[in-house]
């Protein structure tokens, strides 16, 4: 395991992104093992962006041989309304960087239906999640009945957005739907679907994986001693389960 400088507030700061990636692989593999043994399935939610690159150590020894990939069920925290082979697709990114390198059953990878509109894809994804909750592939929160994923891996934009929930956008207040859509994302591409905050916060575990000095202000405003009063989406990540921050030195440079 790589050395981290702090565990305060479940926050680990790594010397380098390489060290972060090594530790992240161990963390994901440990939870995979725990859930595969206790309930015979491991539900993992991926984000897009830089997160996928930081998962690269999982597809190397020892984890590639140790993890029981047959138990994995993979979902997305958000997705862009583009074809699955488009460079902007979060699925495409994850497939090329990670999923194509592991022996996961094809039917356990839950990509969005890219033939649908943003509204249609959000409804379709919610229906898919409801089916998987009903057959107990996904656990359900006893607190509020929202789906409870075993582990959600969230990235964060420099503006403090998580999934496709952006600062000042009404979607951050959505409290009924499981999956919703946005057509005016401030970050391109404009049309996306996203899990909502009640679903994000029902998770058993969330890892916020943040790399680079460009994100230091948003990290400081969330974890620093002089926290901003301006509410960023990342401030709203507050799971019923456990939250762990994985930061490199750049991201933590203003703490
Ligand atoms: O647009 C998105 O941005 C965030 C952050 O991406 P990053 O490249 O700055 O890490 C990502 O978590 C989200 O899934 C994605 O759709």
């Amino acid at each position: 395991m790589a050395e981290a400088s702090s565990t305060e507030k479940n926050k680990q700061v790594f010397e380098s992104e390489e060290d972060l990636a090594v530790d992240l692989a161990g963390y994901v593999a440990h939870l995979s093992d725990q859930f595969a043994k206790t309930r015979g399935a491991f539900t993992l939610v991926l984000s897009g962006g830089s997160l996928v690159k930081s998962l690269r150590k999982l597809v190397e020894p020892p984890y590639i041989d140790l993890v029981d990939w047959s138990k994995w069920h993979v979902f997305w925290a958000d997705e862009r309304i583009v074809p699955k082979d488009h460079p902007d697709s979060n699925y495409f990114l994850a497939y090329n960087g990670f999923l194509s390198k592991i022996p996961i059953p094809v039917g356990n990878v839950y990509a969005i239906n890219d033939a649908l509109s943003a509204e249609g894809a959000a409804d379709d994804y919610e229906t898919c999640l409801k089916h998987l909750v009903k057959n107990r592939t996904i656990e359900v929160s006893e607190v509020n009945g929202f789906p409870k994923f075993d582990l959600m891996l969230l990235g964060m934009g420099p503006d403090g957005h998580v999934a496709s929930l952006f600062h000042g956008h009404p979607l951050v207040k959505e409290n009924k739907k499981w999956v919703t859509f946005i057509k005016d994302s401030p970050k391109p591409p404009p049309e996306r679907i996203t899990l909502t905050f009640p679903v994000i916060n029902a998770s058993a575990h969330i890892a916020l994986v943040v790399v680079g000095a460009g994100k230091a202000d948003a990290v400081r405003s969330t974890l620093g001693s002089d926290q901003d009063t301006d509410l960023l989406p990342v401030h709203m990540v507050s799971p019923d389960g456990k939250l762990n921050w994985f930061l490199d030195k750049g991201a933590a440079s203003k703490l």
Side-chain angles (χ1 to χ4, degrees):
M1 289 270 168
E3 280 291 308
S5 64
S6 167
T7 52
E8 186 196 343
K9 284 188 182 173
N10 295 324
K11 170 191 79 196
Q12 290 177 281
V13 181
F14 296 92
E15 273 301 305
S16 65
E17 189 276 340
E18 176 75 9
D19 287 351
L20 179 153
V22 170
D23 201 83
L24 183 63
Y27 167 83
V28 176
H30 169 73
L31 288 177
S32 161
D33 190 46
Q34 181 187 309
F35 283 102
K37 283 187 178 135
T38 54
R39 68 180 205 85
F42 177 55
T43 55
L44 174 72
V45 179
L46 296 175
S47 295
S50 55
L51 169 83
V52 173
K53 189 176 157 232
S54 296
L55 291 177
R56 65 189 177 280
K57 301 291 178 188
L58 262 177
V59 299
E60 293 176 9
Y63 303 114
I64 187 68
D65 305 311
L66 289 179
V67 169
D68 185 352
W69 303 103
S70 70
K71 300 289 193 294
W72 278 43
H73 294 263
V74 172
F75 304 85
W76 275 267
D78 70 318
E79 182 55 286
R80 291 93 179 270
I81 305 300
V82 292
K84 276 201 207 61
D85 58 356
H86 190 283
D88 283 340
S89 159
N90 285 343
Y91 167 84
F92 186 69
L93 187 68
Y95 181 79
N96 287 329
F98 181 61
L99 296 172
S100 60
K101 300 174 184 177
I102 59 172
I104 182 172
V106 180
N108 290 5
V109 176
Y110 304 90
I112 71 160
N113 184 339
D114 61 353
L116 300 175
S117 65
E119 296 95 316
D123 282 351
D124 182 69
Y125 211 61
E126 183 163 317
T127 302
C128 166
L129 299 187
K130 286 196 164 140
H131 170 72
L132 293 166
V133 163
K134 206 168 171 192
N135 73 17
R136 305 299 292 181
T137 301
I138 304 173
E139 297 255 56
V140 64
S141 163
E142 283 166 17
V143 181
N144 54 21
F146 282 96
K148 178 179 179 176
F149 290 100
D150 299 330
L151 172 61
M152 197 169 288
L153 296 174
L154 291 178
M156 181 196 76
D159 57 354
H161 83 268
V162 293
S164 283
L165 297 162
F166 291 90
H167 182 42
H169 197 282
L171 282 193
V172 297
K173 297 194 181 124
E174 174 59 53
N175 61 9
K176 292 195 178 58
K177 289 184 182 163
W178 295 9
V179 185
T180 189
F181 64 93
I182 177 168
K183 290 191 158 186
D184 55 355
S185 162
K187 177 178 175 182
E191 299 203 4
R192 295 151 172 252
I193 71 164
T194 183
L195 300 182
T196 59
F197 269 118
V199 175
I200 290 173
N201 286 330
S203 301
H205 297 265
I206 293 181
L208 259 160
V209 181
V210 185
V211 170
K215 298 178 177 176
D217 283 321
V219 169
R220 183 198 48 75
S221 83
T222 317
L223 294 174
S225 45
D226 57 335
Q227 292 170 13
D228 289 346
T229 46
D230 194 15
L231 192 68
L232 298 181
V234 67
H235 301 163
M236 297 171 70
V237 178
S238 177
D240 297 333
K242 292 185 181 146
L243 172 61
N244 285 281
W245 286 78
F246 290 78
L247 305 169
D248 75 340
K249 255 173 50 176
S253 57
K254 295 194 176 170
L255 289 179

